[in-house]
Amino acid sequence: MKKARVIPHTSWAAKSLWSVEDKTMSMLLFALAILGIGDGLIVLANLGSSPWTVLSQGVALQAEVSIGWASFGISCLVMLAWIPLKLRFGLGTILNIIVIAFFLGLTVPEPTALFSQILFGGIGLLLYGLGTALYLTCHQGAGPRDGLMVGLCQCFHLKVGIVRTSLEVSVCVLGYILGGTVGIGAADS
């Protein structure tokens, strides 16, 4: 019986973690951009965000930097945790850090009416999901946070659900303590 692929192999999939091909790079940059824009819209909706974005919000408030810079810094720190886990990263991992932070840091006027907040949150969630799906199909390396989760699962022989839940609850609580917004609009990162 043929083993099913978890992530489909698309016509734009990279041949290796570091290959630079026009089709792959175009899709990867597009996917990461809409993922970052989607995450930014979710933040602007002010109804809650993904756990890692709640942490970025809290760090941004405390450090008095933009949420994009906070996300960039957190991603770089998470990448340092990859070293003892002996994880391999790819071009997609590096671009994930840079492109998402850039687009997350872009600002548009924050909606004030509840309908506008719900609209921002809904569109943001759709873009976030689409961006994630397209990004993964490029096969150029996991994002920093997903890579950390996978590395911890492999290193300590733990179930994904336990590691992911532990990580995301921890960073969400820390982000909330630092001033990040937790609410009904929370997305899974």
Side-chain angles (χ1 to χ4, degrees):
M1 179 155 64
K2 189 175 179 181
K3 184 179 175 183
R5 290 188 176 174
V6 175
I7 300 172
H9 191 78
T10 58
S11 63
W12 57 82
K15 291 179 179 72
S16 74
L17 290 175
W18 291 96
S19 64
V20 179
E21 303 157 36
D22 291 340
K23 209 180 216 185
T24 305
M25 286 295 102
S26 297
M27 183 57 73
L28 181 62
L29 292 172
F30 172 72
L32 292 172
I34 64 171
L35 200 161
I37 291 167
D39 205 11
L41 290 173
I42 292 168
V43 169
L44 288 172
N46 204 25
L47 298 172
S49 299
S50 69
W52 287 97
T53 305
V54 172
L55 178 61
S56 294
Q57 284 179 303
V59 168
L61 288 168
Q62 296 303 315
E64 297 181 4
V65 297
S66 77
I67 192 169
W69 278 113
S71 175
F72 179 84
I74 290 167
S75 294
C76 290
L77 288 174
V78 168
M79 287 295 297
L80 290 176
W82 282 35
I83 296 168
L85 297 171
K86 297 179 178 143
L87 296 173
R88 290 180 39 209
F89 61 93
L91 184 57
T93 310
I94 303 301
L95 290 174
N96 177 299
I97 294 169
I98 297 166
V99 176
I100 291 174
F102 175 78
F103 282 98
L104 177 59
L106 293 179
T107 57
V108 295
E110 190 173 316
T112 53
L114 181 59
F115 176 77
S116 298
Q117 288 176 292
I118 292 169
L119 188 63
F120 268 51
I123 292 170
L125 194 55
L126 289 173
L127 290 176
Y128 189 94
L130 179 62
T132 300
L134 291 174
Y135 160 67
L136 292 172
T137 63
C138 293
H139 297 274
Q140 287 216 279
R145 295 147 179 90
D146 286 335
L148 176 63
M149 176 197 62
V150 170
L152 290 171
C153 289
Q154 290 172 344
C155 184
F156 297 106
H157 308 288
L158 297 169
K159 293 183 179 185
V160 172
I162 292 170
V163 173
R164 181 147 195 144
T165 301
S166 299
L167 277 173
E168 295 205 356
V169 167
S170 299
V171 298
C172 191
V173 168
L174 179 57
Y176 178 74
I177 290 169
L178 294 172
T181 303
V182 175
I184 63 168
D188 182 28
S189 64

